[in-house]
Amino acid sequence: MFFQRKDVKEQKIEELLLENYNRYYRLAYSYVHNEADAADIVQNGAYKAIRNSDSLKNVEYAQTWIYRIMLNEIFQCAKKKQMVSLDELPTEQGQEDHYENIDLKRALDQMNPQDKAVIELRYFEDMKIEDIAKVLNENVNTVKSRLYRGLKKLRLELTDAWQWE
């Protein structure tokens, strides 16, 4: 009987996927707002990460590499959802978490996906700006600009929302 040995990269990727599954799921859910879609995104991302583990150049960057794969899956799913007419979507009443900030969630949903990703990775996933730049394959200064511009937009949106209450 032959056993195929896993290489170091594949082992590290599997380890990170298991350790951070909930983080990837929360990130996906924050975009698609559907449990099944979020689970599919994470499953597809995990499959792609394991399948392509040999293309990872440096094991030290496995975490950011996996985040990049997950964000690509999220953006791909979000594009597919945008093509579906809002009239065709079923409404799920009573599904919102009572502990979350609905105004913040709505304001984030109005942002473009790249700005939203920067804010969520920084403040909800507690990633460093340099790591976010690697995940998004962007310059550190671009990430900083997106972050500050996005925070300014959020502040304006939330101020407007709170003024009308």
Side-chain angles (χ1 to χ4, degrees):
M1 188 176 263
F2 294 98
F3 292 100
Q4 183 178 2
R5 282 188 43 188
K6 294 181 183 179
D7 67 348
V8 176
K9 293 177 187 177
E10 189 174 337
Q11 285 179 334
K12 182 65 174 179
I13 289 168
E14 287 180 9
E15 177 184 311
L16 288 168
L17 287 168
L18 290 172
E19 286 176 9
N20 298 299
Y21 176 86
N22 289 335
R23 291 179 127 189
Y24 304 137
Y25 178 83
R26 278 193 319 269
L27 182 63
Y29 186 83
S30 74
Y31 279 86
V32 296
H33 307 295
N34 179 295
E35 293 176 6
D37 288 343
D40 286 345
I41 287 168
V42 175
Q43 183 177 10
N44 291 340
Y47 171 75
K48 286 181 180 179
I50 292 169
R51 187 185 70 198
N52 298 315
S53 62
D54 57 331
S55 68
L56 176 63
K57 293 177 183 159
N58 189 340
V59 178
E60 293 175 15
Y61 299 116
Q63 179 73 354
T64 56
W65 184 77
I66 294 170
Y67 266 108
R68 184 178 302 153
I69 291 171
M70 293 298 173
L71 283 170
N72 286 337
E73 287 296 310
I74 290 167
F75 294 156
Q76 185 178 9
C77 183
K79 282 181 186 177
K80 287 179 186 175
K81 284 206 168 276
Q82 283 179 344
M83 291 182 207
V84 176
S85 168
L86 290 176
D87 297 333
E88 296 173 9
L89 294 175
T91 57
E92 297 180 23
Q93 294 182 350
Q95 295 294 319
E96 293 182 0
D97 187 353
H98 298 287
Y99 298 104
E100 64 184 282
N101 185 332
I102 301 301
D103 292 330
L104 177 59
K105 185 176 178 181
R106 286 184 183 139
L108 281 168
D109 287 343
Q110 292 176 3
M111 299 180 80
N112 73 47
Q114 289 79 14
D115 290 348
K116 179 180 177 181
V118 170
I119 289 173
E120 288 191 341
L121 290 173
R122 177 69 185 108
Y123 293 104
F124 298 114
E125 298 299 324
D126 202 29
M127 290 181 81
K128 295 178 183 175
I129 290 177
E130 294 79 15
D131 292 336
I132 296 169
K134 289 175 189 172
V135 167
L136 297 177
N137 201 26
E138 291 184 347
N139 183 304
V140 172
N141 289 330
T142 303
V143 171
K144 287 179 182 179
S145 295
R146 284 185 187 277
L147 179 63
Y148 298 126
R149 183 176 55 241
L151 289 173
K152 187 175 181 181
K153 287 179 187 176
L154 276 179
R155 201 173 299 119
L156 289 171
E157 283 290 324
L158 293 174
T159 302
D160 289 346
W162 292 332
Q163 287 177 352
W164 290 103
E165 292 182 355

